[in-house]
Amino acid sequence: MEPLQAGDPLDEIKKLIDNYKKKHEQLLEEQKELVACRDMQQGLAAQFKDRAVKLAQKLKEEERSYIERLTDSETQLNQLRQEESDLKEKIQMIKAVLQEEEAQKKLLKEQTEVFTAVPEKKVVFLGSTGSADTAQAFEMEANIIYPMEGGTALITFEEEVVATQILAKKLHQVKLGGECSITVEARPVHLMLPKAVEINTDVCPHRILISNLPNMDIHTMLYELEIHFSKSRNGGGEVDTCDLLPDSGNVVLKFVEDSYAKGLAEKELHEVKLQGAKHTVRVTPFLNGKISHFKAESMPCPQTVLLTGIPNVMEPETLQDELEIHFQKFGNGGGEIEAILYNPVGQDMSAVFKDISSKPEEVEEQM
């Protein structure tokens, strides 16, 4: 408080009271302003808090949405990767199919070349016809080599039942005159025969097949053909070999290089000077054959038996005759003999079978 001055004490007191009232009023105004400011700050704080809550919720929603979009994107990416993998597999499959088609195309082209490579052969229709059902398939003539041990014999009977009887009895006592006899054992004969054969053929780039050749001296013909096709003006080159195929009468000519055979085969017809006169020969590609698949099976010879344990007791021809006589007699369980081959002890011999079907087998000696 302010000290009272000497003078009118009431006036001074009034002044003091007025001053304090003013100050009081100022304080009340300031208090109101502070209250208003406080209320405003509290309102702002509430607004900020509300906004913060909303922002937090929005962030959570955005985060959840982002995670969902990320998951969807990963799913789509995995699907795209799977589609890419499937497409790659399809591409590989298509490439494999294309390669197979190319291989098939190449094979067909080679087959076409093979078909066109067959030498011409003149045929004449004689008027005979037949059913298509009776057409025969491709066949190979059997030529089976059967090694024989010493002291054995092969006998082929006309009837299969006779061979069956001989095999059933197994041991046979063969009389050789007087009190002399031998005991032989009858065994079945099995041969390994081809059941399935596949041969791949391709055109040889070094060889040509020459057909439509005249009848003349073989050595002269081969010499003149070699001279003709060794000249570059005739489309040829250096010749390696020139050989005759005795079964067909055609000639196989082989070049050292592989750049001549194709051109000569494409021209096909060539005029060659043979025996002082021009002769038109036909040149076709030469085919190489390679066995790609071979399957064999053991087949019994139903009319042939193998006799073993035959000792060397007399001349081979005489002993073979004695065996034939014994096994021809019906009393010994034998029958009519188609062929017989005896191999004495200590000798090497092979039998050649031409057929093991129901027809009689042929058994030939091969030293």
Side-chain angles (χ1 to χ4, degrees):
M1 296 187 57
E2 295 181 359
L4 297 175
Q5 298 179 357
D8 192 354
L10 290 175
D11 291 336
E12 294 294 332
I13 292 172
K14 287 181 178 180
K15 288 180 179 179
L16 289 173
I17 292 170
D18 291 336
N19 288 334
Y20 283 121
K21 284 183 178 179
K22 289 178 180 179
K23 290 181 178 179
H24 181 261
E25 290 174 356
Q26 290 178 354
L27 290 172
L28 289 175
E29 289 295 329
E30 290 177 357
Q31 183 179 9
K32 289 179 181 180
E33 291 177 359
L34 290 172
V35 170
C37 185
R38 183 200 65 188
D39 294 339
M40 184 179 66
Q41 293 295 330
Q42 288 179 349
L44 291 173
Q47 291 178 3
F48 285 129
K49 184 177 181 180
D50 186 58
R51 288 178 64 184
V53 171
K54 291 180 178 179
L55 285 173
Q57 291 178 350
K58 187 176 181 180
L59 285 174
K60 287 182 179 180
E61 291 177 357
E62 289 181 352
E63 182 180 4
R64 183 171 60 253
S65 177
Y66 171 76
I67 293 173
E68 291 177 354
R69 290 197 303 271
L70 183 62
T71 303
D72 293 339
S73 299
E74 289 178 350
T75 303
Q76 292 178 359
L77 181 61
N78 291 332
Q79 290 177 352
L80 291 173
R81 287 175 178 171
Q82 183 63 38
E83 290 178 1
E84 181 184 11
S85 177
D86 295 341
L87 288 174
K88 286 182 178 180
E89 289 182 1
K90 289 182 180 179
I91 290 172
Q92 293 298 327
M93 291 175 61
I94 292 172
K95 285 182 178 180
V97 172
L98 288 175
Q99 290 178 354
E100 185 177 352
E101 290 294 333
E102 288 294 331
Q104 185 69 17
K105 179 181 176 182
K106 183 179 179 182
L107 178 61
L108 291 174
K109 185 178 179 180
E110 291 178 353
Q111 288 180 351
T112 302
E113 293 178 349
V114 168
F115 294 147
T116 58
V118 179
E120 288 184 348
K121 185 176 182 180
K122 295 181 180 180
V123 294
V124 178
F125 177 61
L126 299 177
S128 300
T129 60
S131 174
D133 297 334
T134 61
Q136 295 183 352
F138 176 76
E139 293 182 354
M140 292 186 297
E141 183 180 352
N143 193 38
I144 306 161
I145 308 298
Y146 184 83
M148 296 179 63
E149 296 180 357
T152 61
L154 287 169
I155 299 180
T156 299
F157 296 95
E158 289 186 356
E159 296 182 3
E160 182 180 337
V161 62
V162 177
T164 304
Q165 292 174 358
I166 298 297
L167 291 172
K169 189 176 180 182
K170 193 173 182 180
L171 296 178
H172 298 264
Q173 187 173 9
V174 181
K175 294 182 179 181
L176 303 179
E179 297 181 357
C180 182
S181 65
I182 59 173
T183 301
V184 298
E185 181 181 352
R187 298 179 182 177
V189 177
H190 290 82
L191 301 177
M192 292 299 296
L193 295 180
K195 183 179 181 181
V197 180
E198 292 181 6
I199 302 177
N200 291 336
T201 58
D202 59 352
V203 177
C204 179
H206 290 272
R207 293 180 175 87
I208 57 173
L209 184 65
I210 307 172
S211 58
N212 194 29
L213 295 168
N215 293 325
M216 59 181 293
D217 180 69
I218 295 175
H219 297 288
T220 303
M221 179 177 65
L222 294 178
Y223 175 75
E224 292 182 348
L225 286 173
E226 183 174 349
I227 293 297
H228 177 86
F229 287 105
S230 64
K231 296 178 180 179
S232 58
R233 67 170 180 265
N234 296 325
E238 184 179 356
V239 175
D240 186 10
T241 58
C242 186
D243 301 307
L244 178 73
L245 299 177
D247 56 343
S248 63
N250 299 326
V251 171
V252 177
L253 190 142
K254 179 182 179 183
F255 295 99
V256 175
E257 299 180 4
D258 60 357
S259 56
Y260 305 112
K262 185 176 181 181
L264 293 171
E266 288 176 352
K267 185 179 178 182
E268 190 174 358
L269 298 179
H270 297 260
E271 285 192 352
V272 182
K273 191 175 181 180
L274 299 173
Q275 290 182 319
K278 289 186 177 180
H279 187 84
T280 301
V281 300
R282 184 170 184 251
V283 175
T284 53
F286 182 82
L287 304 180
N288 288 328
K290 182 179 180 181
I291 296 178
S292 59
H293 176 71
F294 181 84
K295 185 177 182 181
E297 64 178 350
S298 178
M299 295 288 293
C301 296
Q303 296 168 234
T304 303
V305 297
L306 175 67
L307 302 179
T308 62
I310 304 174
N312 193 3
V313 294
M314 59 177 62
E315 292 295 325
E317 293 80 5
T318 305
L319 183 54
Q320 179 170 310
D321 292 339
E322 293 292 341
L323 290 171
E324 186 173 2
I325 292 171
H326 175 85
F327 286 100
Q328 276 184 334
K329 294 180 179 180
F330 294 100
N332 298 326
E336 291 297 327
I337 293 177
E338 178 67 24
I340 182 171
L341 179 62
Y342 166 57
N343 182 29
V345 176
Q347 294 190 18
D348 295 326
M349 187 179 296
S350 295
V352 179
F353 284 81
K354 297 292 186 181
D355 186 10
I356 63 167
S357 62
S358 58
K359 300 177 182 179
E361 288 94 347
E362 296 180 9
V363 182
E364 298 178 356
E365 181 178 351
Q366 185 180 51
M367 299 300 294

